[in-house]
Amino acid sequence: MTQNAEHVLDHFELFRGPEYQQMLANKKALFENPQDPAEVERIREWAKTPEYREKNFAREALTVNPAKACQPLGAVFVAVGFEGTLPFVHGSQGCVAYYRSHLSRHFKEPSSCVSSSMTEDAAVFGGLNNMIDGLANTYNMYKPKMIAVSTTCMAEVIGDDLNAFIKTAKEKGSVPNEYDVPFAHTPAFVGSHVTGYDNALKGILEHFWDGKAGTAPKLARKENGKVNFIGGFDGYTVGNIREIKRIFELMGIEYTILADNSDVFDTPTDGEFRMYDGGTTLEDAANAIHAKATISMQQYCTEKTLPFIEGHGHEVAAFNHPVGVSATDDFLMTLSRITGKPIAKALEQERGRLVDAMADSSAHIHGKKFAIYGDPDLCYGLAAFLLELGAEPTHVLSTNGSKAWAEKMEALFASSPFGKNCHAYPGKDLWHMRSLLFTEPVDFLIGNTYGKYLERDTGTPLIRIGFPVFDRHHHHRYPVWGYQGGMNVLVKILDKIFDEIDKNTNVPAKTDYSFDIIR
Amino acid sequence: MSLATTQSVAEIKARNKQLIDEVLKVYPEKTAKRRAKHLNVHEAGKSDCGVKSNLKSIPGVMTIRGCAYAGSKGVVWGPIKDMIHISHGPVGCGQYSWAARRNYYIGTTGIDTFVTMQFTSDFQEKDIVFGGDKKLAKIIDEIQELFPLNHGITIQSECPIGLIGDDIEAVSKVKSKEYDGKTIVPVRCEGFRGVSQSLGHHIANDAVRDWIFDKISPEAKPAFESTPYDVAIIGDYNIGGDAWSSRILLEEMGLRVIAQWSGDGSLAELEATPKAKLNVLHCYRSMNYISRHMEEKFGIPWCEYNFFGPSKIAESLRKIASFFDDKIKEGAERVIAKYQPLMDAVIAKYRPRLEGKTVMLFVGGLRPRHVIGAYEDLGMEVVGTGYEFGHNDDYQRTAQHYVKDGTLIYDDVTGYEFERFVEKIQPDLVGSGIKEKYVFQKMGVPFRQMHSWDYSGPYHGYDGFAIFARDMDMAINSPIWKKTRAPWKDAPRPSLMAAE
């Protein structure tokens, strides 16, 4: 018997016991109709070859292990960034269970969101009644200050019209007439979660700025010199937005963070569950129209929102998830230029410290090859940082990256001698990445939790940066933006590099002469 | 901490009834009327729990339920390891359910097994407009080329498939023929069908019947010699290895397990199941359909069992053995005796720390009732329970075999109701899912995920019970729950009064 009460064995130890091993071997041999082990080995090796890579890259229809999610996830992420706001997703209810689980697994936080629970009859007759009842129930039960509506693909396929439905629901008394119910159509078969972020944010700003779907006068802009900030879909939103606020405050800039979900995804455990916490106030969301300028930290999360804002007279600037020295320099100089405020001395010192740290450690990173995958902006930001560390971002892959993104990546590679052998892969998935790692190996892989399968199969050590990160805790609390954020990314990369060196030099009397105490 | 332990049953019933009345007040009238039917206080001796179930969730209330796709791909089909399951439609459904259910299996992933991979047709607008059948056909070709050792393919329909009129059955037939009768199973589990995961289970069961059982050639030569002791485990998804810590007991008592449905299962095992002498059924909710079908068509009896906690395990082993001869009956006794010292040691260690603690549950399939015995083995009491997607036959089983008089019953509970109930009842532990976990932990209430075993497990079988007991102890008795209030907030009022 393997199990014992004194030292309870977990699944990772329990099943290695001889009784279980024998049982599993018998199961396989007798009942599973297993493939011939030699054949498994042959295919396993074949799947590593350039020939397999070619077939793999010739795929036109099948997607395997994509690194993207669907639009409504981004819409939910935006909605909870507004004060007292409950996301309401119109369509099938299972989707909402999925978004909530997904966000909770990453942030280790509650994730509140409701569905209009459409079923077969709604598929035939449309989901108007679901909207009418759903808004009334949500309003009464959860007392939100605002309900932000988006859609699942079911509602999109049958063509439900949110504007008309919400209007009718208000007429039927589901919520008061003047109550804020911004909306965005977020079809899952267009774009990805970053598109949903974009659509939902635009929907909310449009609601407040452009007359609340014809129920209020449009706001007239009176410039007030403030700066709006948009983070984009970001797994590090908790750490990043707090870091950005600190930077704004150091520079004495008046600002509005739009869709500030840094508190709702980081509520204290003190005996009280806060369904809502923090967030951009509705007043601030409306008044954001008066700002001088709007900055988006992620270009590809705001492809529609930013032009919309620009159309209201703002100066706009978009970055690509800036990480490291130069990207942060650009960000701060843009802020300074727009506001006329000098870059704070304290930030200059932080810059110096990041440069200092990079100089101290550069020898360990210089010339190392990396593969990166993730959302398009994150990929860009990380690749740029690696280039300034003298590393080579050899494969940069973004399932939701466009051709335009790939061109931008190639231009980045061309700007650095370290980018010479680097390539961008738009619209590809992690099964493509697997072929890349086998046929053109790199030293390290940067990506989300799902990269662990690539690490297992190809032996490329994984540095977890991205979304989602399910299997490591609390990384989202640490910023990756600003010079301090750059420091966090640097340390994360270095820790993995040193762990690997130690792992490769720890065999007594064989390799441990290099098991150095000082590195 | 628990209020329940200090109250009489009559007081508890009165309190629970009042609680139900209170939560219903928040709803608009129409909704309150509908929700009232799903909430009740159990009366001992009744044949069911007195709640309506398996009805549509109400829009906007924050139901915890999922969809038919989740029931088919996520539960029934997904764990079949040597088949490739295509999430057919937009990218999200497959992405959010990718490797999230901890269906353990042995195999070389990506080569001969595929459970923790996400295969999707990643529908784009043009697929919605022009239909996805051609794309599906091409996907099957690409799978055959890149994953040649797969034993079969299933097509797990997402919402748009049924709405745009795709004919996935036709594609499956054509492609199956093209690949020498390869098993290709179209599953109509679009998320808008039915009211919860439950219909997805049923549809998935029916797909096994229609596209696997009905296609087995009568002349096919048996893969193994039958024995009088062949059984199949039905409705165990091997979460954290549950089916393994169950299988070992059945084998130790002298039975031979010829198939696992569906945790660590394979196509060959599904195909072999009609040769079983007995189907032993753990998750009744998700696989009673196929068990009944096999009973009718192949004359295979089935028997429900419960492998949570030593009391129910012993009862179940004896029940299963009763279908066989003395050799197996003796085997059951031998197994029970063998593990008795382990169980005694586990209970001696953990029961003193857990005695009298109260639990509220809200889970899926079988667990809202099945785990009650395991808690009771540890001296704990379940004071509230409910099913995410149960039917009346689940509530009957619950009433007749599991819950105590006065237990609060909540079917398809809403976020609001669950919070209020827990706030008022103040159980020592809540067992539910990931969406509920952090809500209750913020409130300072210890919590265990009872779908994924909170990334632990197995919880089935004797080996699993040791882990279950350890986990419940570490949840309830973690020192952190004493620190949720800042000490200065607890500053005793009398001293302030004295200062006045």
Side-chain angles (χ1 to χ4, degrees):
Chain A
M1 198 189 307
T2 320
Q3 188 60 283
N4 70 90
E6 249 343 278
H7 172 64
V8 175
L9 297 178
D10 280 298
H11 47 84
F12 43 85
E13 295 170 301
L14 179 66
F15 299 122
R16 293 182 196 175
E19 291 141 323
Y20 278 106
Q21 285 299 306
Q22 186 61 51
M23 178 188 90
L24 292 170
N26 287 345
K27 175 180 185 292
K28 182 175 179 180
L30 276 169
F31 305 112
E32 290 182 4
N33 181 27
Q35 299 284 358
D36 174 3
E39 184 63 358
V40 173
E41 201 43 38
R42 188 183 71 79
I43 298 294
R44 204 167 75 90
E45 287 304 318
W46 171 63
K48 299 176 181 174
T49 61
E51 181 203 343
Y52 188 89
R53 171 179 164 166
E54 200 176 308
K55 285 179 193 292
N56 191 10
F57 272 75
R59 261 191 286 145
E60 288 174 355
L62 172 67
T63 298
V64 185
N65 299 352
K68 66 169 180 182
C70 67
Q71 280 212 47
L73 182 77
V76 170
F77 185 90
V78 164
V80 298
F82 289 86
E83 180 197 16
T85 299
L86 198 54
F88 180 110
V89 189
H90 182 56
S92 298
Q93 71 193 15
C95 314
V96 167
Y98 278 145
Y99 318 137
R100 294 179 65 203
S101 303
H102 208 64
L103 292 167
S104 282
R105 286 175 179 141
H106 175 81
F107 289 110
K108 316 295 178 201
E109 289 289 321
S111 169
S112 300
C113 177
V114 296
S115 163
S116 67
S117 294
M118 285 164 67
T119 55
E120 283 109 326
D121 52 344
V124 177
F125 301 111
L128 177 59
N129 287 331
N130 299 67
M131 180 69 79
I132 293 169
D133 291 347
L135 288 179
N137 287 325
T138 302
Y139 179 77
N140 282 291
M141 292 173 72
Y142 298 110
K143 318 257 180 295
K145 287 207 164 101
M146 173 163 95
I147 299 173
V149 179
S150 56
T151 49
T152 78
C153 56
M154 180 214 182
E156 287 300 320
V157 171
I158 65 173
D160 279 3
D161 178 350
L162 292 182
N163 190 18
F165 280 19
I166 293 166
K167 210 170 260 176
T168 310
K170 283 186 169 182
E171 282 162 13
K172 301 253 180 196
S174 297
V175 296
N177 245 324
E178 64 286 356
Y179 184 76
D180 291 310
V181 188
F183 62 89
H185 287 274
T186 50
F189 44 82
V190 176
S192 71
H193 56 291
V194 305
T195 324
Y197 182 100
D198 195 12
N199 284 332
L201 184 56
K202 178 167 170 279
I204 290 170
L205 296 180
E206 219 166 4
H207 170 83
F208 284 109
W209 297 3
D210 285 354
K212 304 193 171 187
T215 64
K218 292 188 178 190
L219 299 181
R221 178 165 178 260
K222 291 184 215 108
E223 205 207 288
N224 61 12
K226 285 172 106 174
V227 174
N228 297 328
F229 177 91
I230 301 171
F233 193 100
D234 176 21
Y236 299 90
T237 186
V238 170
N240 273 342
I241 287 189
R242 288 178 186 163
E243 179 66 9
I244 291 300
K245 287 177 181 171
R246 191 183 67 89
I247 289 172
F248 277 126
E249 273 150 29
L250 277 172
M251 289 177 65
I253 296 170
E254 282 198 81
Y255 65 92
T256 304
I257 309 275
L258 295 173
D260 176 4
N261 51 21
S262 60
D263 284 341
V264 78
F265 285 131
D266 191 22
T267 61
T269 285
D270 61 357
E272 184 196 345
F273 160 55
R274 295 161 178 81
M275 180 174 269
Y276 315 107
D277 202 15
T280 313
T281 65
L282 306 192
E283 205 188 345
D284 283 351
N287 287 333
I289 191 173
H290 305 305
K292 180 169 195 271
T294 297
I295 285 177
S296 163
M297 220 53 162
Q298 298 196 67
Q299 177 192 352
Y300 297 103
C301 291
T302 48
E303 286 183 297
K304 285 183 201 156
T305 302
L306 221 49
F308 166 81
I309 292 172
E310 196 174 19
H312 283 73
H314 290 215
E315 180 179 351
V316 297
F319 297 88
N320 298 99
H321 207 293
V323 179
V325 178
S326 295
T328 307
D329 292 348
D330 281 351
F331 169 63
L332 294 180
M333 287 191 295
T334 304
L335 271 186
S336 175
R337 180 179 56 71
I338 288 171
T339 59
K341 308 260 184 183
I343 293 169
K345 256 269 155 320
L347 291 170
E348 212 173 295
Q349 281 187 321
E350 286 172 20
R351 182 186 191 279
R353 288 178 196 132
L354 176 58
V355 173
D356 179 69
M358 287 162 68
D360 293 347
S361 312
S362 132
H364 290 282
I365 304 184
H366 192 104
K368 293 271 190 309
K369 290 181 174 183
F370 287 76
I372 307 171
Y373 72 86
D375 286 344
D377 292 292
L378 177 65
C379 282
Y380 190 97
L382 290 172
F385 186 40
L386 289 177
L387 289 173
E388 67 183 20
L389 285 160
E392 297 174 24
T394 309
H395 314 302
V396 182
L397 180 149
S398 184
T399 309
N400 47 353
S402 60
K403 274 193 188 131
W405 166 81
E407 281 162 21
K408 196 168 174 144
M409 287 303 314
E410 299 292 347
L412 174 70
F413 299 145
S415 73
S416 162
F418 301 98
K420 208 174 142 205
N421 297 312
C422 302
H423 291 290
Y425 297 91
K428 298 297 176 195
D429 56 42
L430 301 188
W431 200 254
H432 292 115
M433 180 61 100
R434 192 177 188 267
S435 279
L436 291 173
L437 295 176
F438 276 129
T439 53
E440 293 176 69
V442 295
D443 299 300
F444 295 93
L445 170 67
I446 299 181
N448 62 14
T449 279
Y450 290 104
K452 76 193 290 178
Y453 295 137
L454 293 167
E455 181 177 41
R456 175 196 60 195
D457 291 355
T458 69
T460 318
L462 171 68
I463 297 161
R464 282 172 180 75
I465 303 177
F467 175 91
V469 174
F470 291 153
D471 65 338
R472 295 291 184 272
H473 293 190
H474 309 307
H475 289 203
H476 65 276
R477 298 171 194 277
Y478 298 90
V480 300
W481 291 340
Y483 299 118
Q484 296 204 152
M487 188 76 83
N488 288 334
V489 175
L490 176 70
V491 171
K492 212 178 275 199
I493 294 171
L494 284 169
D495 277 351
K496 181 61 82 173
I497 291 176
F498 290 130
D499 282 349
E500 285 301 308
I501 298 174
D502 284 346
K503 244 166 52 184
N504 291 336
T505 57
N506 65 1
V507 182
K510 289 266 187 218
T511 61
D512 69 341
Y513 46 84
S514 304
F515 196 62
D516 284 326
I517 215 69
I518 308 165
R519 297 207 194 271
Chain B
M1 169 187 184
S2 177
L3 303 171
T5 49
T6 60
Q7 291 172 312
S8 74
V9 174
E11 283 169 335
I12 289 168
K13 282 184 179 175
R15 178 206 59 191
N16 285 352
K17 284 199 174 112
Q18 194 192 335
L19 252 176
I20 291 172
D21 290 342
E22 271 173 38
V23 298
L24 289 172
K25 280 191 194 130
V26 78
Y27 294 108
E29 200 186 330
K30 187 169 102 182
T31 308
K33 233 181 226 170
R34 284 174 70 183
R35 281 306 304 160
K37 295 175 186 156
H38 297 265
L39 306 172
N40 196 29
V41 182
H42 178 61
E43 292 287 337
K46 289 276 167 75
S47 66
D48 64 24
C49 300
V51 293
K52 293 271 183 205
S53 56
N54 196 33
L55 296 175
K56 269 196 248 180
S57 299
I58 301 169
V61 298
M62 210 172 317
T63 173
I64 291 167
R65 284 174 169 175
C67 64
Y69 164 90
S72 177
K73 186 267 183 179
V75 175
V76 173
W77 277 108
I80 298 294
K81 62 183 179 179
D82 56 350
M83 295 176 80
I84 285 176
H85 310 290
I86 304 165
S87 292
H88 191 38
V91 70
C93 318
Q95 203 70 6
Y96 308 125
S97 57
W98 182 6
R101 209 159 177 264
R102 306 188 64 238
N103 307 110
Y104 282 9
Y105 65 103
I106 305 285
T108 307
T109 302
I111 307 300
D112 64 354
T113 48
F114 312 92
V115 179
T116 50
M117 294 175 69
Q118 136 69 329
F119 291 83
T120 175
S121 45
D122 187 14
F123 260 36
Q124 301 300 303
E125 200 148 25
K126 64 177 191 300
D127 302 313
I128 301 286
V129 176
F130 300 111
D133 286 341
K134 278 191 186 143
K135 187 174 199 177
L136 178 60
K138 191 160 210 177
I139 283 172
I140 292 171
D141 293 338
E142 290 177 356
I143 285 175
Q144 286 302 95
E145 181 158 28
L146 289 166
F147 305 95
L149 300 187
N150 82 79
H151 274 146
I153 293 169
T154 74
I155 297 140
Q156 305 289 328
S157 301
E158 299 171 6
C159 287
I161 304 307
L163 298 172
I164 62 176
D166 274 11
D167 192 351
I168 58 170
E169 290 79 9
V171 176
S172 302
K173 281 180 194 157
V174 167
K175 284 290 156 188
S176 172
K177 209 172 204 179
E178 193 180 323
Y179 292 108
D180 303 322
K182 183 179 189 68
T183 301
I184 300 179
V185 182
V187 191
R188 287 286 180 178
C189 54
E190 289 89 345
F192 61 82
R193 293 192 198 278
V195 304
S196 67
Q197 292 92 313
S198 185
L199 187 63
H201 305 140
H202 198 155
I203 292 168
N205 278 224
D206 289 353
V208 176
R209 178 194 66 200
D210 296 344
W211 295 84
I212 293 191
F213 285 174
D214 286 0
K215 291 191 186 301
I216 298 171
S217 154
E219 294 94 54
K221 73 173 178 36
F224 53 79
E225 288 286 319
S226 284
T227 78
Y229 304 118
D230 290 354
V231 300
I233 293 178
I234 311 284
D236 189 324
Y237 302 102
N238 205 31
I239 291 163
D242 280 339
W244 294 335
S245 55
S246 302
R247 182 187 187 103
I248 201 162
L249 301 180
L250 298 176
E251 290 190 350
E252 281 180 17
M253 72 192 268
L255 297 171
R256 192 171 81 151
V257 180
I258 63 168
Q260 282 177 208
W261 291 53
S262 54
D264 193 36
S266 56
L267 176 61
E269 289 168 73
L270 297 183
E271 289 173 338
T273 307
K275 294 188 195 124
K277 301 297 184 294
L278 176 72
N279 281 326
V280 298
L281 177 59
H282 208 237
C283 183
Y284 170 84
R285 179 73 275 128
S286 60
M287 286 198 175
N288 77 85
Y289 318 101
I290 200 71
S291 305
R292 290 176 197 280
H293 171 73
M294 284 191 267
E295 184 177 38
E296 281 162 28
K297 178 133 190 216
F298 309 112
I300 306 170
W302 52 280
C303 129
E304 289 176 65
Y305 69 109
N306 178 347
F307 270 6
F308 290 104
S311 302
K312 289 291 172 189
I313 298 173
E315 195 182 309
S316 295
L317 289 173
R318 289 183 177 124
K319 187 172 161 194
I320 292 167
S322 73
F323 286 80
F324 296 93
D325 59 16
D326 284 350
K327 184 188 140 199
I328 300 300
K329 288 180 184 130
E330 282 155 22
E333 295 308 322
R334 196 175 56 244
V335 172
I336 294 164
K338 174 185 165 186
Y339 286 94
Q340 196 59 50
L342 172 66
M343 291 301 97
D344 291 345
V346 168
I347 287 169
K349 183 171 173 185
Y350 293 107
R351 186 163 177 142
R353 304 187 206 180
L354 297 169
E355 186 84 51
K357 302 284 186 193
T358 56
V359 187
M360 288 176 74
L361 298 169
F362 186 75
V363 218
L366 69 161
R367 292 161 179 173
R369 62 174 179 275
H370 262 45
V371 296
I372 290 175
Y375 283 114
E376 287 173 352
D377 284 335
L378 293 167
M380 300 169 72
E381 190 190 354
V382 173
V383 296
T385 193
Y387 291 82
E388 202 175 310
F389 47 80
H391 298 204
N392 197 45
D393 48 7
D394 291 301
Y395 285 102
Q396 285 169 350
R397 286 163 166 76
T398 309
Q400 291 163 15
H401 304 291
Y402 289 97
V403 287
K404 287 188 174 153
D405 200 22
T407 303
L408 184 62
I409 307 290
Y410 30 84
D411 177 70
D412 183 22
V413 79
T414 68
Y416 177 86
E417 291 163 4
F418 205 10
E419 282 156 42
R420 291 294 89 74
F421 289 156
V422 169
E423 204 173 80
K424 289 285 163 59
I425 293 174
Q426 290 284 310
D428 298 294
L429 180 75
V430 174
S432 191
I434 181 68
K435 303 191 290 301
E436 294 70 61
K437 178 182 174 78
Y438 301 106
V439 170
F440 294 116
Q441 291 189 175
K442 301 281 178 193
M443 288 164 63
V445 182
F447 187 97
R448 286 299 294 187
Q449 289 184 67
M450 294 301 282
H451 299 262
S452 67
W453 305 147
D454 237 311
Y455 322 122
S456 176
Y459 283 176
H460 292 178
Y462 290 116
D463 288 347
F465 180 69
I467 300 171
F468 173 85
R470 193 266 327 258
D471 287 356
M472 297 312 136
D473 173 47
M474 73 160 92
I476 290 176
N477 294 313
S478 163
I480 199 62
W481 303 121
K482 294 200 177 80
K483 302 200 188 296
T484 56
R485 295 275 296 171
W488 54 91
K489 291 244 173 180
D490 283 333
R493 283 191 168 276
S495 62
L496 288 173
M497 304 271 280
E500 276 176 359

